[in-house]
């Protein structure tokens, strides 16, 4: 299985901050990388697919980049509603695997 | 708008069989070109992909999991199901169903159910 490693595991930031979360794959996954946000007690919500493509309805302050093994999710100006846990997931090869998550506190 | 909703028992005894159903609206699971996924999330832990089923009935199961579960389609009800045999406490989790959407280049789970908590306990 492809191992996905996120950093940091947790992060505290303030409204208006620029936040970056990184995700590293154990092998080349091209741009087959998705990002999800999950709030406590809720289902994950797709933010970005294909490394850099914003899913419909997701605010433009979210952006993603990377190819190969190293990827980043950036929130350009943190809003209060952005708290939660963020997961990366590779969709290059079955079984699709997730990172361990990054908990973002505002 | 595609919507998914899980249903099933909240409590199951060890060694029993757990059956969960995902009801889909806004898409036809027997004809639309999509995979339909099951995920789970143990309390306080991360997300785990269990497996999926294609609209033609072809299944994929995560080989990293002990293969004591099956996924099936019921096109007449527009539902797909997860069946876990001989459950243990390790199967306690929130179970999610989701659609695997796609473009020509990428796959991604774009629509999710709200999740259902299953506790395995005597």
């Amino acid at each position: 299985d492809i191992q996905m490693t996120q950093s940091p595991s947790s992060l505290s930031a303030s409204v208006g901050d620029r936040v970056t979360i990184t995700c590293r794959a154990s092998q080349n996954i091209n741009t087959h990388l998705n990002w999800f946000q999950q709030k406590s007690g809720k289902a994950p919500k797709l933010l970005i697919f294909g490394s850099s493509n914003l899913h419909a309805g997701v605010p433009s302050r979210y952006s993603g980049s990377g190819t190969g093994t190293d990827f980043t999710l950036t929130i350009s100006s943190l809003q209060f509603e952005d708290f939660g846990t963020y997961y990366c997931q590779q969709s290059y090869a079955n079984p699709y695997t997730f990172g361990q998550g990054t908990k973002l506190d505002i | 708008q595609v919507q998914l909703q899980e249903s099933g028992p909240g409590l199951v005894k060890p060694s029993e069989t757990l059956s969960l159903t995902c009801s889909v609206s806004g898409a036809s699971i027997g004809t639309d070109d999509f995979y339909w996924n099951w995920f789970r999330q143990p309390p306080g832990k991360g997300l785990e992909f269990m497996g999926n089923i294609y609209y033609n009935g072809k299944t994929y199961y995560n080989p990293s999991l002990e293969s004591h579960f099956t996924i099936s389609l019921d096109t007449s009800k527009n539902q797909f199901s997860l069946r876990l045999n001989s459950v243990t406490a390790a199967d306690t989790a929130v179970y999610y169903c989701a659609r695997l959407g796609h473009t020509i280049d990428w796959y991604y789970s774009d629509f999710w159910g709200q999740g259902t908590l299953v506790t395995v306990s005597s």
Side-chain angles (χ1 to χ4, degrees):
Chain A
D1 297 1
I2 298 174
Q3 305 301 315
M4 307 300 294
T5 305
Q6 289 181 234
S7 61
S9 296
S10 62
L11 175 61
S12 292
S14 300
V15 172
D17 284 353
R18 181 182 182 89
V19 170
T20 298
I21 298 169
T22 64
C23 179
R24 175 164 288 177
S26 61
Q27 67 181 72
N28 183 0
I29 59 169
N30 199 333
T31 57
H32 296 270
L33 193 283
N34 306 318
W35 288 99
F36 295 88
Q37 176 198 59
Q38 186 180 33
K39 298 194 175 184
S40 181
K42 300 294 186 182
K45 175 184 170 185
L46 177 67
L47 299 174
I48 287 172
F49 65 93
S51 178
S52 61
N53 299 281
L54 208 63
H55 184 52
V58 175
S60 59
R61 64 181 179 271
Y62 287 91
S63 63
S65 65
T67 186
T69 60
D70 294 313
F71 301 87
T72 60
L73 172 71
T74 299
I75 309 172
S76 62
S77 179
L78 200 64
Q79 300 300 303
F80 181 76
E81 60 266 28
D82 297 334
F83 75 92
T85 301
Y86 291 79
Y87 293 95
C88 62
Q89 181 209 30
Q90 63 83 16
S91 57
Y92 180 79
N94 271 321
Y96 294 171
T97 44
F98 291 89
Q100 80 280 13
T102 295
K103 186 175 182 181
L104 175 58
D105 293 322
I106 310 295
Chain B
Q1 179 78 344
V2 178
Q3 294 185 315
L4 299 92
Q5 171 112 28
E6 305 89 350
S7 59
L11 180 65
V12 182
K13 290 182 169 57
S15 79
E16 291 188 342
T17 295
L18 167 65
S19 292
L20 295 175
T21 296
C22 183
S23 299
V24 179
S25 59
S28 175
I29 65 168
T31 59
D32 292 349
D33 181 17
F34 293 107
Y35 290 86
W36 301 93
N37 294 327
W38 284 102
F39 297 89
R40 69 181 181 183
Q41 185 171 36
K45 296 190 177 181
L47 294 159
E48 182 173 57
F49 168 64
M50 298 185 70
N52 58 32
I53 189 163
Y54 198 33
Y55 77 98
N56 63 3
K58 180 179 178 182
T59 54
Y60 173 81
Y61 300 117
N62 186 341
S64 298
L65 302 178
E66 293 182 5
S67 54
H68 66 119
F69 63 93
T70 57
I71 299 173
S72 60
L73 282 178
D74 185 341
T75 56
S76 67
K77 295 180 179 179
N78 216 41
Q79 296 174 338
F80 62 106
S81 298
L82 174 70
R83 183 181 173 94
L84 278 81
N85 301 315
S86 304
V87 298
T88 69
D91 295 311
T92 293
V94 176
Y95 287 77
Y96 295 100
C97 59
R99 187 185 81 165
L100 188 63
H102 59 87
T103 65
I104 195 169
D105 295 307
W106 299 292
Y107 285 87
Y108 43 85
S109 295
D110 52 358
F111 293 99
W112 294 67
Q114 84 282 1
T116 187
L117 173 63
V118 175
T119 301
V120 179
S121 175
S122 55

